[in-house]
Amino acid sequence: MRLPCPLCGDRDRREFFYQGAAVTLDRPARDAGDAAWNDYLHNRDNPAGETRDLWHHEAGCGAWIVVHRNTVTHEVYGAELAQKAKA
Amino acid sequence: MVKLIAKSPCMGLLPKTIGAVDLTEVEPALITLIAPFAGQTKAVSAALKDALGVSFPAPNRAVGTGARAVWVGMGQALLMGANCPDLKGAACIDQSDAWAIVRIDGVDTSAVLARLTPLDVRDSQFKRGHTARTLVGHMTASITRLGVHSFEVMVMRSMAGTLVHELEQAAENMAARATA
Ligand SMILES: [Zn+2]
């Protein structure tokens, strides 16, 4: 698998560290309540199909990126810098 | 008083010639990491251009000849071979002793590197002035193309021995195939 780093271009998967679903970018407010925080910290969907994941280009430019891909077809649709991404 | 001896990262390991490949250590007297603060890249680039004639490099690019600036990651570049001017809009960190730098020359160089890195180093994809952060074996490295048959590979200083060993091994394998 190759991932399209917005800075470096298409790179081998072994250059990247996988963090998990990009929902972590959508941090609840401090006073959002236990349910919202529990959901944010612990509950994840396990979709067959399209996902948005956070990856770290650790053996590359060091950027965190959000990769939009499909776990069924293995198609990679694109990626953007996490600092510019909307959750 | 203890007398301290200055040692370069690859002292005792290089230079070496293996088949058609020459490995030599590069020792810029000074290496400064420059990391512009948010929104300051343009101003920092202009200040660098004024002081040294090199601008802050775009991602995946290396610029300059005497004073050189090599992109080494998101918002970061290494200034080599010159004193870092006073830059208001950037963090500037002396890394002169942090890097081991090896220059590889010879007709087989891209084939040797292709054995060690997932990066596409072919001439059509990776031209002179191109640079990349990638892997060399298990090490994170910076690879820059200096010319048709010349590359520069940088790793953290603690990995100098491993880098030289990996390059030697790959060059020996290439040479063995050539004579087989
Ligand atoms: Zn990258």
Side-chain angles (χ1 to χ4, degrees):
Chain A
M1 184 164 87
R2 285 157 78 78
L3 296 178
C5 175
L7 291 176
C8 305
D10 282 352
R11 290 299 185 88
D12 193 275
R13 181 256 171 275
R14 86 190 88 154
E15 291 186 4
F16 296 87
F17 166 79
Y18 175 75
Q19 200 269 343
V23 293
T24 45
L25 291 174
D26 193 13
R27 193 182 174 94
R30 267 169 176 271
D31 55 0
D34 292 348
W37 273 98
N38 184 54
D39 206 37
Y40 171 72
L41 288 172
H42 303 298
N43 296 332
R44 296 289 178 272
D45 293 331
N46 185 20
E50 290 190 27
T51 59
R52 291 175 81 246
D53 317 306
L54 274 173
W55 296 74
H56 183 217
H57 197 187
E58 61 174 353
C61 62
W64 280 96
I65 63 175
V66 178
V67 177
H68 182 203
R69 67 190 179 101
N70 190 310
T71 56
V72 174
T73 63
H74 301 304
E75 192 177 349
V76 176
Y77 305 114
E80 59 184 330
L81 291 175
Q83 67 181 16
K84 290 183 181 160
K86 296 262 187 301
Chain B
M1 270 295 273
V2 179
K3 203 159 187 240
L4 299 174
I5 305 159
K7 281 179 146 184
S8 72
C10 301
M11 185 179 268
L13 302 170
L14 296 177
K16 222 161 232 173
T17 298
I18 300 151
V21 176
D22 292 316
L23 304 176
T24 29
E25 176 166 27
V26 178
E27 288 183 80
L30 276 165
I31 305 173
T32 310
L33 180 97
I34 300 175
F37 301 133
Q40 296 292 310
T41 307
K42 272 200 181 127
V44 167
S45 188
L48 270 176
K49 186 101 190 165
D50 272 355
L52 299 169
V54 294
S55 43
F56 190 85
N60 309 305
R61 293 292 181 271
V63 294
T65 44
R68 300 167 58 212
V70 180
W71 180 86
V72 286
M74 185 163 69
Q76 300 182 352
L78 292 181
L79 176 66
M80 300 198 273
N83 280 310
C84 187
D86 191 19
L87 298 170
K88 292 277 179 299
C92 302
I93 302 144
D94 183 1
Q95 294 192 348
S96 304
D97 291 322
W99 296 91
I101 311 177
V102 176
R103 183 184 167 120
I104 316 170
D105 296 285
V107 289
D108 280 345
T109 45
S110 22
V112 166
L113 277 178
R115 287 177 170 244
L116 298 171
T117 175
L119 186 74
D120 189 346
V121 290
R122 286 175 304 166
D123 212 10
S124 57
Q125 301 301 312
F126 196 70
K127 302 177 164 68
R128 191 160 62 89
H130 287 200
T131 189
R133 289 305 303 262
T134 183
L135 290 165
V136 169
H138 291 144
M139 296 172 290
T140 54
S142 154
I143 301 180
T144 303
R145 186 171 212 127
L146 302 174
V148 186
H149 298 305
S150 301
F151 293 88
E152 192 172 76
V153 182
M154 311 185 15
V155 297
M156 299 320 289
R157 182 191 181 115
S158 61
M159 295 174 203
T162 309
L163 174 65
V164 171
H165 179 254
E166 295 269 26
L167 290 169
E168 269 177 18
Q169 191 79 60
E172 277 167 16
N173 291 350
M174 287 302 301
R177 281 175 73 89
T179 55

